[in-house]
Amino acid sequence: MTFFTQTGSFRRREDRGKFITLEGGEGVGKTTNMPFIQEYLHYHNIPVMVTREPGGTKLAEKIRDLLLDAESESISEQAELLLMFAARAQHIGNVIEPALSQGNWVLCDRFTDATYAYQGGGRNMDMGTIEWLEDLVQGPLRPDLTILLDMPVEAGMARAKKREGKVDRFESEKISFFERVRQAYLRQAERYPERIKLIKANQSLTEVQNAIANVIQPLLT
Ligand code: Z5A
C-alpha cells in the first residue's frame, strides 16, 4: 500500500510498522524526548502513532488514574501488577496491534520493561510471574527498539521535582525503591542488548537527542 506524505513523496507502507518504546526512571527526560522522536520519524516520512502506558485507551487511562492516585486506598502489589497488565491488554488489542498491522509505527512512553523495573525491581515481585503475564497478554509482541534513558537516581529526582503538579503514588516512594528500579532496568538492558539501547540521560539535550537519532536510524533502512 502507498500513501501520500506531507513532503509530497510517496512512501511504500511496510506490511507491519515498527514498535518503539521509551523507558527510564524519574525525570530522565522521556516526556521531553517523545516529541523529538515523533518529529524525527515524521521527517523521514514515517507515520507514527504516539501513546503511553499505563494508558492509551479510554479504559486504560481510567486504570492509569487508579494506579497513580496518591490518595487511593493502599493497592496490593498483586493488584498493581494485574492492573498494569489489564491496561496493557486493552492497549495492545485496541490501539497498538491495529496500528502496527496497518503499517503505522508506534511510539510508546513506557511498556513492559517498566513492569520488570517497577514491579519486579522496585516492589521485588517475582520476575517469572511477570514473564508469564507478558507471554499471556502480549503473545509474541515485543518492541523492535527500546530506548532506555539512564542517569543517577538523585539527579533524575532533582529534575523531576522542578516540574509543577501533584506527586503521584509512585513518585512518593523512597529513593531505595528508585535505585532498585534503575538496577532492574540496567539488567533488562544487559539481557536484551539487541533490543534495548542505553543512552546516558545526564548529557545536554542535544547530545541525548543525537544519541536517540543514532539508535533509531538503523530501523529506517
Ligand atoms: N509504571 C509501572 O510501575 N509499571 C509499568 O508497567 C508502567 C508504569 C508502564 C507512570 O509515570 C508511572 O507508572 C511511573 C512508573 C509506573 N511512575 N513513576 N515514577 P509516567 O511515565 O507518566 O511519568 P514518570 O515516570 O513520573 O516520568 P517523569 O518523572 O515525568 O519523567 P520524564 O518524563 O522522564 O522526565 P521529563 O518530564 O521529560 O523531564 C524532567 C525535567 O528534566 C524537565 O524539567 C525537563 O525539561 C528536564 N530535562 C529533560 N532532559 C534534560 C536534559 N537532557 N538536560 C537538562 N534537563 C532536562
Side-chain angles (χ1 to χ4, degrees), residues 24-33 53-54 64 68 80 84 88 109-111 114-115 118-119 159-160 163 168 170-171 178 201 203-205 208:
E26 283 286 278
V28 293
K30 295 178 305 301
T31 311
T32 307
N33 286 295
E53 288 217 349
R64 177 189 178 92
L68 298 194
E80 181 179 282
M84 289 294 173
R88 186 161 298 139
D109 186 346
R110 296 193 185 280
F111 193 62
T115 313
Y118 283 81
Q119 282 64 53
R159 273 191 191 170
R163 286 173 322 199
D168 69 38
F170 288 96
E171 287 164 348
F178 293 105
Q203 322 178 63
S204 74
L205 195 52
V208 170

Side-chain angles (χ1 to χ4, degrees), residues 137-154:
V137 168
Q138 295 173 216
L141 176 71
R142 300 291 182 275
D144 295 288
L145 170 68
T146 297
I147 299 167
L148 173 57
L149 298 177
D150 175 67
M151 67 191 285
V153 169
E154 290 205 38

Side-chain angles (χ1 to χ4, degrees), residues 42-57:
H42 277 162
Y43 176 78
H44 290 278
N45 296 322
I46 288 171
V48 57
M49 207 218 45
V50 176
T51 186
R52 68 174 181 182
E53 288 217 349
T57 77

Side-chain angles (χ1 to χ4, degrees), residues 14-214:
E14 289 172 19
D15 291 339
R16 193 174 161 81
K18 304 272 190 221
F19 183 25
I20 301 179
T21 59
L22 188 55
E23 296 278 1
E26 283 286 278
V28 293
K30 295 178 305 301
T31 311
T32 307
N33 286 295
M34 288 289 286
F36 167 77
I37 300 173
Q38 187 178 11
E39 278 165 32
Y40 180 80
L41 294 174
H42 277 162
Y43 176 78
H44 290 278
N45 296 322
I46 288 171
V48 57
M49 207 218 45
V50 176
T51 186
R52 68 174 181 182
E53 288 217 349
T57 77
K58 230 170 165 183
L59 176 62
E61 288 289 329
K62 284 189 184 166
I63 296 176
R64 177 189 178 92
D65 291 343
L66 294 173
L67 282 163
L68 298 194
D69 182 4
E71 280 148 36
S72 76
E73 68 186 56
S74 104
I75 300 180
S76 78
E77 291 175 354
Q78 285 88 347
E80 181 179 282
L81 177 66
L82 293 170
L83 284 169
M84 289 294 173
F85 273 107
R88 186 161 298 139
Q90 197 69 10
H91 192 203
I92 291 170
N94 288 8
V95 173
I96 296 177
E97 267 301 339
L100 292 173
S101 57
Q102 284 165 25
N104 293 298
W105 289 33
V106 174
L107 171 61
C108 191
D109 186 346
R110 296 193 185 280
F111 193 62
T112 307
D113 292 303
T115 313
Y116 283 99
Y118 283 81
Q119 282 64 53
R123 305 260 188 252
N124 284 316
M125 295 192 78
D126 177 46
M127 295 290 187
T129 305
I130 298 175
E131 266 178 28
W132 186 83
L133 287 166
E134 180 181 38
D135 287 341
L136 176 77
V137 168
Q138 295 173 216
L141 176 71
R142 300 291 182 275
D144 295 288
L145 170 68
T146 297
I147 299 167
L148 173 57
L149 298 177
D150 175 67
M151 67 191 285
V153 169
E154 290 205 38
M157 290 178 90
R159 273 191 191 170
K161 275 200 188 106
K162 287 192 196 142
R163 286 173 322 199
E164 290 180 5
K166 279 205 307 191
V167 170
D168 69 38
R169 202 172 60 83
F170 288 96
E171 287 164 348
S172 35
E173 288 291 340
K174 294 194 188 103
I175 191 156
S176 54
F177 174 89
F178 293 105
E179 293 286 2
R180 290 196 299 278
V181 167
R182 183 181 184 208
Q183 292 313 316
Y185 265 133
L186 293 173
R187 280 196 297 277
Q188 282 290 97
E190 268 176 28
R191 191 171 170 199
Y192 301 105
E194 290 302 311
R195 171 175 67 85
I196 304 182
K197 302 298 175 196
L198 189 80
I199 291 176
K200 278 171 71 175
N202 51 346
Q203 322 178 63
S204 74
L205 195 52
T206 308
E207 288 170 311
V208 170
Q209 293 183 340
N210 284 340
I212 289 176
N214 282 340

